[in-house]
Amino acid sequence: MTQIITTISEMRAQVHAWRNAGECVGLVPTMGYLHEGHKSLIERSVADNDRTVVSVFVNPTQFGPNEDLESYPRDLDRDVALVTHAGADVVFHPEPEEMYFPDRSTTVHVEGLGNELCGKSRPIHFDGVCLVVSKLLNITTPDRAYFGQKDAQQLLIVRRMVRDLSIGTDIVGCPIVREPDGLAKSSRNTYLSPAERAAAVVLSRSLACGRAVVESGERSAEAVRAAIRAELATEPLAEPEYVEVVDTNTVSPVDVIAGEVLVAIAVRIGTTRLIDNFFFDPAA
Amino acid sequence: MTQIITTISEMRAQVHAWRNAGECVGLVPTMGYLHEGHKSLIERSVADNDRTVVSVFVNPTQFGPNEDLESYPRDLDRDVALVTHAGADVVFHPEPEEMYFPDRSTTVHVEGLGNELCGKSRPIHFDGVCLVVSKLLNITTPDRAYFGQKDAQQLLIVRRMVRDLSIGTDIVGCPIVREPDGLAKSSRNTYLSPAERAAAVVLSRSLACGRAVVESGERSAEAVRAAIRAELATEPLAEPEYVEVVDTNTVSPVDVIAGEVLVAIAVRIGTTRLIDNFFFDPAA
């Protein structure tokens, strides 16, 4: 059975003991309610490292005032069972009061990379992510930390932060895990009614259309976006929030696909906001 | 002879080797041109830790556009000799290009604590300090890092940052080291002409007046400030920039001295800006 640690000091002591034994450490940061996507990250970490920590922390600082912090799904027992099965050593599960002082005053901000895509509708989100990821990396000082590519903008921002702050952790991005029909695994999929669940497949289907266009040699970002939008328009329950093609270094929209790009969408299905994406490099 | 390391990767590898040997590490971050004040920090670190790293890096991001980045005194050979004599193991001396990417985009900001005192005339200074200290702590992952109390606001901000980001380093504040006449040691003292050097003693003399007032039982911050200002006024070459009494948690001015305070001054002597301070706790 995986050990559950709830305090920063115990977590540090455990990592210290592993380090003293010459063991390397992987971290999989999560907000819990784990699914196959998280499981793939944990299994990758278990394969790469002597020890794996899975943090389960619904981080309040990355939720806006009108977002789903309170309703975000939680099930620690189920999470611990999944983590145990996947072979990780520790679930780090601090309370918000353990992580944040009432008079906390430090912010970590990555300028520019959070302006587009999800940053437009979630203005404080990535600062909250940077803060909690900084803390988790400082507490567990892992050799490697594993992030899903589904949260692609998060992955790019965390990579930039780790580079700029000289954090000694290798950030490993892992492929999106999907349901059999193509829907990207997400804890928020549980919000969907059966009809919405059926409709949600339009995200991956529309991205497949966009990918077909770019893989056919088309280099106009607008042509790719148009193909995705056209497919999204076939689903009455889908309300697109954005359909964008951005440079992976700057996370700024491009007109022409000349270097590696991230093609990313956010779509509301009923009241549930879902995201999906793919990376494309014309030189690859 | 102390080893000189100029790259982040070599510095990490050296710390890694020490850690694998079970050794603990102290860091003394400096901008070089070392004096007795730095030496006291290094000696303290050498006494407390198996290994000591002294970083010598004139950090461009903490200098404003009209400040003395270019003219800041530098003498690496002399610094290495002093560090060797003090018993440290490594001088970490990266070039600015090694520390900062041209497209760096991450900022670390401590809200509120940098608004008063030196933050008023040096608006970007403490963000630059937080950035470079974050990086140095991430590169050397020390058990302890040593900061002089002369830069008191810096010490309070770094402590807050380290607390808020859960950085696993103990921040050790060390007493101000002074010339025989009372002038606080500073690399910037070299800017002073002989007449200015004689005048500069008014900083510590005025603080002694303030300290006498508060130690006599006076709890009005204005009375303490007035005593300091009166003494500063006796020196024609001294132009006070600020004379403040601030809460050590918030770095905000207080009217009544009820908890621990920092009594801090900044004074221009000719074109040279000097700072000095003392801490006072009525409960101590």
Side-chain angles (χ1 to χ4, degrees):
Chain A
M1 183 75 164
T2 299
Q3 183 189 0
I4 301 173
I5 293 180
T6 61
T7 68
I8 292 172
S9 59
E10 281 172 275
M11 190 65 248
R12 277 198 217 286
Q14 178 61 84
V15 171
H16 194 69
W18 290 336
R19 293 267 174 230
N20 280 352
E23 294 177 317
C24 69
V25 178
L27 171 70
V28 182
T30 83
M31 299 211 300
Y33 216 73
L34 305 177
H35 52 62
E36 295 288 318
H38 300 108
K39 197 176 171 206
S40 74
L41 304 179
I42 300 168
E43 287 170 346
R44 173 76 190 275
S45 176
V46 168
D48 289 352
N49 302 281
D50 300 310
R51 299 289 184 173
T52 290
V53 176
V54 179
S55 61
V56 172
F57 180 60
V58 181
N59 174 39
T61 68
Q62 71 192 65
F63 286 81
N66 298 316
E67 292 182 1
D68 56 345
L69 172 62
E70 294 308 320
S71 61
Y72 197 86
R74 293 161 167 91
D75 188 342
L76 186 64
D77 291 345
R78 196 167 141 280
D79 289 344
V80 172
L82 185 147
V83 169
T84 304
H85 189 253
D89 299 274
V90 165
V91 169
F92 179 50
H93 180 61
E95 291 296 319
E97 299 69 34
E98 174 73 6
M99 288 289 274
Y100 296 117
F101 286 84
D103 64 344
R104 80 186 158 80
S105 25
T106 305
T107 53
V108 181
H109 177 68
V110 175
E111 184 64 28
L113 280 67
N115 293 350
E116 302 291 332
L117 308 184
C118 294
K120 278 192 172 165
S121 66
R122 309 189 73 187
I124 67 155
H125 178 66
F126 292 112
D127 283 2
V129 168
C130 286
L131 181 60
V132 77
V133 171
S134 295
K135 288 175 69 82
L136 292 170
L137 293 176
N138 287 328
I139 292 164
T140 62
T141 62
D143 297 271
R144 296 168 200 87
Y146 298 82
F147 290 83
Q149 187 198 299
K150 195 190 69 113
D151 298 310
Q153 191 174 14
Q154 167 177 284
L155 174 61
L156 295 173
I157 289 174
V158 166
R159 268 196 213 287
R160 179 63 60 91
M161 176 187 80
V162 163
R163 186 201 73 171
D164 284 351
L165 298 185
S166 303
I167 295 172
T169 298
D170 186 15
I171 301 300
V172 183
C174 298
I176 299 176
V177 176
R178 298 180 180 280
E179 302 286 353
D181 68 356
L183 177 65
K185 299 262 187 183
S186 166
S187 305
R188 289 189 171 100
N189 291 350
T190 59
Y191 296 154
L192 299 168
S193 72
E196 290 168 344
R197 171 64 189 80
V201 72
V202 76
L203 277 89
S204 57
R205 204 171 65 219
S206 70
L207 285 175
C209 294
R211 190 193 280 270
V213 167
V214 74
E215 286 185 348
S216 75
E218 177 64 60
R219 291 295 174 263
S220 153
E222 180 48 31
V224 176
R225 287 199 302 266
I228 296 170
R229 281 189 192 284
E231 187 61 29
L232 288 172
T234 66
E235 175 48 65
L237 290 180
E239 272 188 62
E241 183 185 298
Y242 65 74
V243 174
E244 287 289 359
V245 180
V246 299
D247 181 284
T248 54
N249 282 310
T250 62
V251 193
S252 298
V254 299
D255 292 326
V256 175
I257 298 170
E260 191 192 39
V261 292
L262 167 67
V263 181
I265 63 176
V267 179
R268 279 191 193 275
I269 306 285
T271 58
T272 303
R273 184 179 176 279
L274 299 175
I275 58 176
D276 201 348
N277 68 79
F278 66 90
F279 285 80
F280 176 78
D281 187 347
Chain B
M1 182 77 163
T2 298
Q3 183 189 359
I4 302 173
I5 293 179
T6 60
T7 68
I8 292 171
S9 59
E10 281 172 273
M11 190 66 249
R12 278 198 217 283
Q14 178 60 85
V15 171
H16 195 69
W18 290 336
R19 293 267 172 228
N20 280 351
E23 294 177 318
C24 68
V25 178
L27 170 70
V28 183
T30 83
M31 297 212 302
Y33 217 73
L34 304 177
H35 51 64
E36 295 289 318
H38 299 109
K39 197 176 171 204
S40 73
L41 304 179
I42 300 168
E43 287 170 347
R44 173 76 190 275
S45 176
V46 169
D48 289 352
N49 301 281
D50 300 310
R51 299 289 183 172
T52 290
V53 177
V54 179
S55 62
V56 173
F57 180 61
V58 182
N59 174 38
T61 67
Q62 72 191 65
F63 287 81
N66 298 315
E67 292 182 1
D68 56 346
L69 172 61
E70 294 309 320
S71 62
Y72 197 86
R74 293 160 167 91
D75 189 341
L76 186 64
D77 291 345
R78 195 168 142 279
D79 289 343
V80 172
L82 184 146
V83 169
T84 303
H85 189 253
D89 300 273
V90 165
V91 169
F92 179 51
H93 180 61
E95 292 296 319
E97 298 70 34
E98 174 73 5
M99 288 290 272
Y100 295 117
F101 286 83
D103 64 345
R104 80 184 158 82
S105 25
T106 305
T107 53
V108 181
H109 176 68
V110 175
E111 184 63 29
L113 280 65
N115 294 350
E116 302 289 333
L117 307 183
C118 294
K120 278 192 172 166
S121 66
R122 309 189 74 186
I124 67 153
H125 178 65
F126 291 113
D127 282 1
V129 168
C130 286
L131 182 59
V132 77
V133 171
S134 294
K135 287 174 70 81
L136 292 169
L137 293 176
N138 287 328
I139 293 164
T140 62
T141 61
D143 297 270
R144 297 168 199 86
Y146 298 81
F147 291 82
Q149 187 197 300
K150 199 195 73 149
D151 298 310
Q153 191 174 14
Q154 168 178 284
L155 174 61
L156 295 174
I157 288 173
V158 166
R159 267 196 214 286
R160 178 62 61 91
M161 176 186 78
V162 163
R163 186 201 72 169
D164 283 351
L165 298 185
S166 303
I167 296 172
T169 298
D170 186 17
I171 300 300
V172 183
C174 297
I176 298 175
V177 176
R178 298 179 179 282
E179 303 286 352
D181 68 357
L183 178 65
K185 299 262 188 185
S186 167
S187 306
R188 290 190 172 97
N189 291 349
T190 58
Y191 297 153
L192 300 168
S193 72
E196 290 168 344
R197 171 62 189 81
V201 73
V202 76
L203 277 88
S204 57
R205 205 171 66 221
S206 70
L207 284 176
C209 294
R211 190 194 280 272
V213 167
V214 73
E215 286 185 347
S216 76
E218 177 64 59
R219 292 295 175 261
S220 153
E222 180 48 32
V224 176
R225 288 198 302 265
I228 295 169
R229 282 188 191 284
E231 188 62 28
L232 288 172
T234 66
E235 174 48 63
L237 291 181
E239 270 188 63
E241 181 185 299
Y242 65 74
V243 174
E244 286 291 359
V245 181
V246 299
D247 181 284
T248 53
N249 282 310
T250 62
V251 194
S252 298
V254 300
D255 292 328
V256 175
I257 298 170
E260 191 191 38
V261 292
L262 166 67
V263 181
I265 64 176
V267 179
R268 279 191 192 276
I269 306 285
T271 58
T272 302
R273 183 179 176 281
L274 300 176
I275 58 175
D276 201 349
N277 69 79
F278 66 90
F279 285 81
F280 177 78
D281 186 347

